[in-house]
Amino acid sequence: LYPNLREREMMRTAILAALVASASAFQTGQMPTTSGMRLRAASASSAPRTARRSLAISPRMAFDMEALIQQSKDERLAHLEKQAMDSIKIAVENNENAVFPNAMIAGDCVITDLCHRLGYLKNGKVKIMVVDTFHLFPETMEFLKEIEEHYGFKAEVFQAAGCADKAEYDAKYGADLWKEDVEQYDKVCKVEPFQRGLKTLKTGVMMNGRRRDHGDERAYIDLYENAPIGGGMAKVNPLAYWTFEDCFDYIAKYKIPIHPLHAKGYPSIGDAKDTIPIPEDGSVRFVNYKFEGKKSEWLDYNSERKGRFVGLANKDGSTKTECGIHVAGAEQTFDRDLWVDGSAVAELSKAEAEKLTKGDEDAVVVVYAPWCQFCQALEPAYEELAKELDVKVYKYRGDEDREFVKASYNTNSFPTINVVKGGKATKYESEDRDVKSMKAFVEKSLKVSA
């Protein structure tokens, strides 16, 4: 093809010159045209031999791939920042009483900082709301104090109704409520305080940190949506299109305060009882604004919450992936009571229940919790029992008054049936909860015939 050595050398020199020019142009963002390459090749072929030799031995110019990657990430983050801040501004400036329920996880720390940069924390246009479940890590509420001081705001904290602290909660609901019925636990410790908080703060728009990369349940959320709970209240998701990695890129860029448990291997932080490090050996951490270990364990799609809700299942047996707050219709899930609407079973007040254990009235009392599946199963048989007996048949809700029912009505679990005679409550110990078996126990205890 090239009959002599001189022509091959000339072509080689021209090609090298074109490659050098191409690399240089790529580094500056200007790709050379093919016509330009031909011109340079022609120039090289007509250049003196010494010049051609110089071109032939010149080192190839390399571009900095890492710098280009970082540049593209910086540009992406800048776009996401602007988009998130714009969404917050639109929500806040067009609605009254913007509220941010803050769980202090990585994404929530980003939103907190964005609200601060917009001036909304100090001027009070955005209120920070926190739900203390009484089962959080000790570090969580300490971290809340830290960011309150750092950003100059005071959070509105809501807890289980009627409970000032964990001791009062345990006395009222029981320390193991989350084991007995996790959905009722969600209602008592999360959903009800959450909704009470939104109502108390007269929320006009709510912002939260849900993202598409959280998993299938959130894969198609947008920046704006109607809330699935709370009567159609507007909701904004400033980080909807971010990834978990974007959140940590932002955190590192601005060196903002983050939850201390990220440095101990926790990608997400919820209740201490069901949150674990990922991997469990804690080998992946975010320390001093840098990752240690194999960060993909945290950053892969749907991986942030792998350490949440560990060991928990819904009533239908499915794996638990949501806390209950963001489930459609959550505020209506727990409204139903048992033995209502003309039931033969009468309800006892606390005063009446106390009086019954000190008086002479004969009665049958079931201590129950409306959320308990065994109480729900008992409902028709106990209703029929009330219709067949000649003594008064009562119900008393015990899940909100556990110390009293334990002391006065032999109750450690639900349902518990007692026959009361002469102020003394005798527990029905059998698990046979059919009408015939229960009626026989009542008659024997009261020594009366049907």
Side-chain angles (χ1 to χ4, degrees):
L1 187 60
Y2 299 107
N4 59 64
L5 182 62
R6 183 171 180 273
E7 288 183 3
R8 284 202 298 271
E9 179 66 19
M10 289 172 60
M11 182 53 66
R12 179 173 176 271
T13 302
I15 291 171
L16 285 172
L19 288 173
V20 170
S22 176
S24 177
F26 181 81
Q27 197 169 23
T28 59
Q30 299 173 345
M31 291 302 296
T33 63
T34 54
S35 60
M37 292 172 67
R38 285 195 298 269
L39 286 172
R40 282 189 286 276
S43 299
S45 65
S46 60
R49 181 175 299 177
T50 54
R52 293 199 303 271
R53 185 176 297 112
S54 175
L55 281 171
I57 62 175
S58 294
R60 295 176 62 183
M61 296 179 62
F63 61 91
D64 188 338
M65 182 180 293
E66 291 300 321
L68 287 171
I69 291 172
Q70 188 59 50
Q71 179 183 339
S72 65
K73 290 186 70 174
D74 291 344
E75 290 171 353
R76 169 185 167 81
L77 187 59
H79 167 74
L80 290 172
E81 281 182 48
K82 182 180 184 304
Q83 183 184 70
M85 294 178 83
D86 286 347
S87 70
I88 294 172
K89 279 192 282 187
I90 289 170
V92 172
E93 300 300 337
N94 290 279
N95 296 275
E96 294 183 358
N97 302 325
V99 174
F100 174 36
N102 194 334
M104 291 164 279
I105 55 179
D108 286 2
C109 290
V110 171
I111 295 176
T112 302
D113 193 71
L114 293 172
C115 289
H116 167 71
R117 289 171 59 189
L118 290 166
Y120 289 150
L121 297 184
K122 286 193 175 180
N123 67 18
K125 283 194 171 184
V126 172
K127 291 183 175 64
I128 301 292
M129 183 182 102
V130 172
V131 174
D132 181 1
T133 67
F134 294 131
H135 294 75
L136 301 174
F137 287 94
E139 292 91 338
T140 298
M141 297 308 287
E142 288 300 317
F143 178 59
L144 174 60
K145 295 177 184 177
E146 177 186 335
I147 59 174
E148 283 179 328
E149 182 177 348
H150 181 85
Y151 290 116
F153 71 88
K154 184 65 178 175
E156 302 282 347
V157 180
F158 294 86
Q159 303 155 334
C163 301
D165 53 34
K166 181 67 162 57
E168 289 190 11
Y169 166 84
D170 287 349
K172 186 171 184 179
Y173 296 104
D176 293 331
L177 176 61
W178 66 275
K179 296 178 183 177
E180 297 168 1
D181 192 307
V182 69
E183 292 180 19
Q184 178 66 7
Y185 167 78
D186 283 349
K187 181 243 178 173
V188 169
C189 295
K190 299 177 182 180
V191 177
E192 191 282 329
F194 179 84
Q195 292 183 3
R196 175 162 37 91
L198 295 181
K199 291 175 183 177
T200 300
L201 299 175
K202 299 179 179 179
T203 306
V205 64
M206 180 182 75
M207 63 184 70
N208 74 96
R210 294 184 304 152
R211 303 190 314 273
R212 289 187 170 194
D213 73 331
H214 277 147
D216 293 345
E217 299 93 340
R218 304 178 178 186
Y220 297 98
I221 62 171
D222 289 306
L223 283 174
Y224 310 98
E225 59 177 320
N226 287 328
I229 59 176
M233 179 182 59
K235 182 186 289 187
V236 59
N237 308 306
L239 308 185
Y241 310 136
W242 291 47
T243 66
F244 201 28
E245 184 176 15
D246 293 326
C247 294
F248 282 105
D249 286 345
Y250 181 96
I251 289 166
K253 177 180 178 180
Y254 292 102
K255 303 293 189 293
I256 68 172
I258 59 169
H259 200 295
L261 289 184
H262 289 307
K264 295 183 179 180
Y266 292 81
S268 185
I269 298 97
D271 282 349
K273 61 183 174 54
D274 52 56
T275 304
I276 63 172
I278 296 296
E280 291 189 48
D281 63 4
S283 58
V284 179
R285 297 176 293 274
F286 191 73
V287 182
N288 295 326
Y289 301 104
K290 291 182 180 180
F291 274 105
E292 296 179 356
K294 188 179 178 182
K295 65 180 182 180
S296 61
E297 294 276 1
W298 287 18
L299 303 182
D300 282 350
Y301 178 78
N302 196 18
S303 291
E304 176 182 356
R305 299 188 299 160
K306 284 194 298 188
R308 298 281 299 279
F309 314 116
V310 175
L312 301 183
N314 298 310
K315 279 187 176 180
D316 62 4
S318 60
T319 301
K320 188 169 181 60
T321 59
E322 291 281 1
C323 66
I325 289 175
H326 297 295
V327 176
E331 77 284 4
Q332 299 173 0
T333 305
F334 308 95
D335 288 345
R336 181 177 176 271
D337 199 1
L338 303 179
W339 300 290
V340 294
D341 299 331
S343 172
V345 179
E347 183 174 8
L348 284 176
S349 67
K350 174 70 172 290
E352 291 169 338
E354 290 175 335
K355 182 180 178 180
L356 192 61
T357 60
K358 299 174 183 177
D360 297 323
E361 181 184 357
D362 293 343
V364 179
V365 179
V366 62
V367 182
Y368 77 105
W371 45 266
C372 171
Q373 59 180 319
F374 303 109
C375 296
Q376 294 166 5
L378 174 67
E379 186 176 23
Y382 193 72
E383 177 69 29
E384 186 63 30
L385 178 69
K387 293 176 181 178
E388 293 192 12
L389 291 175
D390 293 328
V391 296
K392 198 72 175 177
V393 178
Y394 293 108
K395 66 173 183 176
Y396 184 78
R397 182 165 179 174
D399 61 318
E400 297 179 349
D401 201 3
R402 294 188 182 231
E403 284 192 348
F404 169 68
V405 296
K406 183 177 182 180
S408 301
Y409 284 91
N410 308 304
T411 302
N412 291 306
S413 61
F414 308 114
T416 295
I417 299 170
N418 287 272
V419 174
V420 181
K421 182 176 178 61
K424 180 182 178 182
T426 302
K427 181 179 178 180
Y428 178 57
E429 298 284 0
S430 175
E431 294 296 318
D432 296 327
R433 293 172 181 152
D434 58 279
V435 176
K436 182 179 178 180
S437 299
M438 293 188 293
K439 187 175 180 180
F441 174 76
V442 173
E443 292 173 347
K444 180 180 179 181
S445 300
L446 295 177
K447 294 184 172 59
V448 296
S449 60

